[in-house]
Amino acid sequence: EASPLMTAELMFFTFFSHLTLLNMLVGILCEVVAQVSKTEKEQAAVAAFKQHLLPILQIYAVSNEGHLRKQEFELLMRNPEMHAILNNLGVDAGDFNALKDILYEDKVVKAMENSDSDDDDDDAVKELVIEEPDLTFAEFMESALRLRGGNQARVQDIVELREYVKNRVDDIAPML
């Protein structure tokens, strides 16, 4: 036989367990919506950055091949509109400008084979040509996106820093 007290306790327990479960589901749903919103805002900000940046890059790239030379980069970083675009993305324009030497440090060395069409010898003359370093538009945008204030350091960033420091120490070591 069922007692009215036990029936009330069972109904009380069932009500509050369902209420707790419902609150947990609402919390999970709110967290998912917040993450999706954050991701979409991030994607919209990056798309707007690329949309506003590409025309400016094309104006400053004299060679018009999708590359920026160091002098073009310096001129670009003097543009107040460029500062505004970077600031809207969360990148400090001064810090980005300070990294220009690191971005352009690697010299582009290409091996070109000069062979005469008249001469069928297998002796091809190889000549090293040092070209002025440049950044592609994609590299420029990737560098800017990596410098956003909200980004966390990744393992890849630490490995690149380690390689950079090692190369600098190797360059300085013979001078000592």
Side-chain angles (χ1 to χ4, degrees):
E1 179 175 313
S3 89
L5 182 61
M6 290 300 277
T7 305
E9 286 180 9
L10 179 64
M11 288 176 53
F12 182 77
F13 173 77
T14 305
F15 173 75
F16 278 107
S17 63
H18 284 97
L19 183 65
T20 303
L21 185 61
L22 185 62
N23 282 337
M24 287 176 27
L25 291 175
V26 168
I28 292 170
L29 182 63
C30 288
E31 186 64 31
V32 168
V33 168
Q35 285 287 36
V36 168
S37 174
K38 180 179 176 184
T39 303
E40 287 181 359
K41 284 180 183 178
E42 177 79 16
Q43 290 173 348
V46 169
F49 169 70
K50 289 179 179 180
Q51 180 183 2
H52 289 96
L53 184 65
L54 195 57
I56 294 175
L57 289 176
Q58 290 171 343
I59 290 170
Y60 280 91
V62 176
S63 62
N64 202 14
E65 298 173 3
H67 296 265
L68 274 177
R69 292 190 183 97
K70 192 172 183 177
Q71 294 81 11
E72 297 166 346
F73 179 86
E74 290 170 350
L75 286 173
L76 176 67
M77 293 309 295
R78 291 183 193 148
N79 186 342
E81 188 176 349
M82 183 67 195
H83 285 248
I85 291 171
L86 289 173
N87 287 335
N88 286 341
L89 187 66
V91 176
D92 185 5
D95 291 345
F96 191 56
N97 193 24
L99 289 176
K100 74 177 172 238
D101 291 331
I102 294 170
L103 293 172
Y104 286 96
E105 183 175 278
D106 298 330
K107 299 290 182 197
V108 179
V109 178
K110 293 185 179 180
M112 296 177 55
E113 290 186 31
N114 294 330
S115 59
D116 295 331
S117 58
D118 300 331
D119 194 6
D120 291 339
D121 293 339
D122 289 336
D123 299 329
V125 178
K126 290 189 176 181
E127 181 180 313
L128 293 178
V129 178
I130 298 177
E131 296 180 357
E132 183 180 354
D134 58 9
L135 282 177
T136 64
F137 290 173
E139 291 170 335
F140 180 88
M141 288 187 219
E142 179 185 336
S143 298
L145 290 172
R146 287 180 67 187
L147 291 175
R148 296 177 76 183
N151 289 350
Q152 296 179 354
R154 301 176 302 180
V155 173
Q156 179 183 357
D157 297 329
I158 303 302
V159 169
E160 288 175 2
L161 176 64
R162 181 183 172 273
E163 288 178 23
Y164 177 76
V165 170
K166 182 184 179 297
N167 290 338
R168 288 301 221 179
V169 169
D170 290 346
D171 291 345
I172 294 173
M175 294 179 200
L176 298 176

